[in-house]
Amino acid sequence: MTQEEYEMTCFQMITAAGTAKSDYIEALRAAKAGDYAKAEELLASGLESYNGGHEAHSAMVQQEAAGNPITPTLLMTHVEDQMMSAEVIRTMVLELIDVYKKLENKEN
């Protein structure tokens, strides 16, 4: 992998994570407004974006496992941070949507 390919892959992963996080937050807002169908759509869209970044990340891990090491950089550290934060946000949004649903059921 050339340096340019490495950087492009990193930016693709950052974009995928950022898109996923945005979708997850919008899903939470939709659930807060009571639109659970829209929330589910946004969660699915976010997961699709995240998975695109995860696939690129997995390819880099496989490359390293095959004996072609990836030199850690500040850019890759940023990628890892963005990917992990997207995972955490998704988990928290799923939990909060469940809370909204339970609160709504108690009110009815």
Side-chain angles (χ1 to χ4, degrees):
M1 176 178 289
T2 67
Q3 182 65 25
E4 185 175 322
E5 291 170 330
Y6 172 80
E7 289 173 2
M8 287 301 297
T9 301
C10 286
F11 287 121
Q12 288 170 347
M13 289 186 284
I14 291 166
T15 299
T19 301
K21 288 188 289 185
S22 293
D23 285 347
Y24 297 151
I25 296 301
E26 287 301 314
L28 182 59
R29 290 180 179 140
K32 186 177 181 180
D35 190 348
Y36 297 108
K38 182 69 173 174
E40 289 298 322
E41 288 175 22
L42 287 160
L43 285 168
S45 175
L47 186 57
E48 186 177 329
S49 293
Y50 178 82
N51 285 340
H54 191 274
E55 288 172 15
H57 186 263
S58 293
M60 291 177 98
V61 171
Q62 290 172 0
Q63 176 184 331
E64 186 158 311
N68 301 314
I70 303 289
T71 302
T73 63
L74 183 58
L75 183 58
M76 182 51 73
T77 301
H78 183 59
V79 168
E80 296 287 338
D81 178 55
Q82 295 303 304
M83 295 295 288
M84 288 187 300
S85 69
E87 286 184 80
V88 170
I89 289 170
R90 180 176 185 272
T91 300
M92 297 305 297
V93 165
L94 289 170
E95 291 297 320
L96 287 168
I97 289 173
D98 283 344
V99 170
Y100 283 131
K101 287 178 180 178
K102 287 179 183 177
L103 288 173
E104 187 175 286
N105 287 336
K106 284 185 178 184
E107 291 174 359
N108 294 327

